[in-house]
Amino acid sequence: MKLKDKVAIITGAANGIGLAAAERFSQEGAKVILADYDAEAGAAKEKELTKLGYEVSFIQVDVANRQSVDALIEQTINHFGQIDILINNAGITRDAMLTKMTPEDFSTVLHVNITGVFNCTQAVVPHLVKQGHGKIINTSSVSGVYGNVGQTNYAASKAAVIGMTKTWAKELGRKGINVNAVAPGFTNTAMVAKMPENIINQMKSVVSLQRLGEPTDIANAYLFLASEESSYVHGHVLQVDGGIMM
Ligand code: CAA
Ligand code: NAI
């Protein structure tokens, strides 16, 4: 098992990619905190995974709210006694063309996707430094690497995630903490299901593998970066996108 007895906090783990990661990490022996603001799905998934014999616990959190994040970290320490891995996976979209994007939708996306990642990382890092080891994995996107029509706010936020990843790699490497990012391509979750069908088809046609990613494709990349197999991978942005726009 690749993560035996490691404690992982996965934000946005009640659905989609985060949920696939929670399952994958559990299969590899991790104890997982499902951290999400969707209380209904979170509680249901905790029940389902526990029935399978996995050690998981749902904690409701709004990553954009610092007090809520501080409570998440405190409860995790109380429950599992340590934190080894943080996956900053929670994220949202509010798509619109530049000329139609409201200031509220611009700042809401930045608040969740940038401040949320900052909040969780800043709150977890003192524990990782004390232990002298830890893994932080941030979720960027192909939109943050290449830009995307209708995603001024989201592309800005996911480019910011890359900037924070590289900065934290430089700050935290000497403390024994690995920091990397995954930049998924278009992946089969509720986030993509909201897109107009013709645009989903257009996106598939520019992917070399000619299909959307599946949540487990991304979860496997998180697993690699969370495991000891990637101990010399640092400050890296791993694109998992089926070969989009190479
Ligand atoms: N490439 C090029 N041109 C595009 C385009 C694209 N991908 N999408 C739209 N356009 C063009 C349209 O053809 C149209 O052109 P004309 O003005 O010449 O007719 C113009 O842009 C306006 O398009 P719409 O009529 O669709 O405008 P709208 O205001 O009704 O909707 C939108 C705009 C909300 C952005 C809608 O097009 C949309 O939802 N697009 C999908 C955006 C997207 O890709 N989101 C990704 C979500 S998944 C995700 O975010 C995960 C991840 O990390 C990748
Ligand atoms: P999803 O919409 O299926 O799941 C996102 C989860 O995050 C939900 O459970 C939601 O409740 C939670 N969440 C949202 N805001 C939150 C907040 N403020 N606090 C706590 N939890 C919150 O999305 P998906 O597709 O699983 O996306 C996961 C991550 O992957 C996101 O960061 C997304 O931007 C990124 N991504 C997704 C891609 C895709 O094509 N699906 C492509 C590239 C990146």
Side-chain angles (χ1 to χ4, degrees):
M1 287 206 221
K2 290 179 181 163
L3 299 179
K4 185 139 181 49
D5 295 330
K6 299 286 183 192
V7 175
I9 295 178
I10 306 178
T11 68
N15 296 287
I17 294 169
L19 176 60
E23 289 170 346
R24 198 69 196 86
F25 280 36
S26 297
Q27 289 162 0
E28 294 293 337
K31 301 171 185 172
V32 178
I33 296 287
L34 311 171
D36 203 298
Y37 71 14
D38 182 345
E40 201 182 324
K45 298 305 168 188
E46 179 193 69
K47 215 167 157 188
E48 257 175 51
L49 293 174
T50 305
K51 254 194 194 158
L52 293 172
Y54 299 137
E55 240 184 295
V56 299
S57 184
F58 168 65
I59 298 178
Q60 189 177 25
V61 68
D62 175 1
V63 294
N65 178 311
R66 186 52 191 257
Q67 278 179 326
S68 174
V69 169
D70 287 343
L72 162 74
I73 304 313
E74 199 185 321
Q75 286 174 58
T76 304
I77 292 290
N78 289 342
H79 193 78
F80 285 134
Q82 68 192 70
I83 301 169
D84 302 292
I85 299 158
L86 170 66
I87 313 284
N88 279 310
N89 166 83
I92 59 165
T93 52
R94 295 281 188 280
D95 293 350
M97 303 302 278
L98 169 63
T99 50
K100 293 187 191 164
M101 187 169 283
T102 64
E104 290 73 26
D105 280 351
F106 182 76
S107 55
T108 299
V109 168
L110 265 53
H111 197 45
V112 173
N113 294 5
I114 303 177
T115 312
V117 172
F118 167 78
N119 283 342
C120 294
T121 307
Q122 198 185 48
V124 160
V125 156
H127 296 279
L128 305 186
V129 169
K130 212 169 5 165
Q131 292 165 186
H133 71 265
K135 298 268 195 176
I136 297 169
I137 294 132
N138 298 325
T139 308
S140 180
S141 162
V142 285
S143 298
V145 177
Y146 301 113
N148 187 26
V149 173
Q151 293 203 297
T152 299
N153 47 5
Y154 182 83
S157 73
K158 294 300 186 178
V161 165
I162 293 175
M164 291 193 289
T165 301
K166 294 189 174 184
T167 299
W168 296 338
K170 288 183 175 172
E171 288 189 15
L172 299 172
R174 67 202 167 85
K175 309 275 185 192
I177 301 167
N178 266 149
V179 189
N180 291 289
V182 174
F186 289 80
T187 307
N188 200 1
T189 69
M191 191 177 269
V192 161
K194 282 192 283 187
M195 291 168 65
E197 202 182 338
N198 62 325
I199 299 183
I200 297 182
N201 289 333
Q202 184 190 322
M203 287 304 169
K204 277 189 210 161
S205 73
V206 296
V207 173
S208 303
L209 293 179
Q210 298 277 295
R211 66 166 176 90
L212 296 178
E214 290 302 322
T216 47
D217 291 323
I218 314 306
N220 282 328
Y222 290 166
L223 173 61
F224 169 65
L225 292 173
S227 76
E228 289 315 308
E229 287 172 6
S230 63
S231 52
Y232 203 57
V233 181
H234 192 60
H236 187 71
V237 181
L238 179 54
Q239 289 185 225
V240 184
D241 58 18
I244 199 170
M245 295 186 232
M246 288 181 297

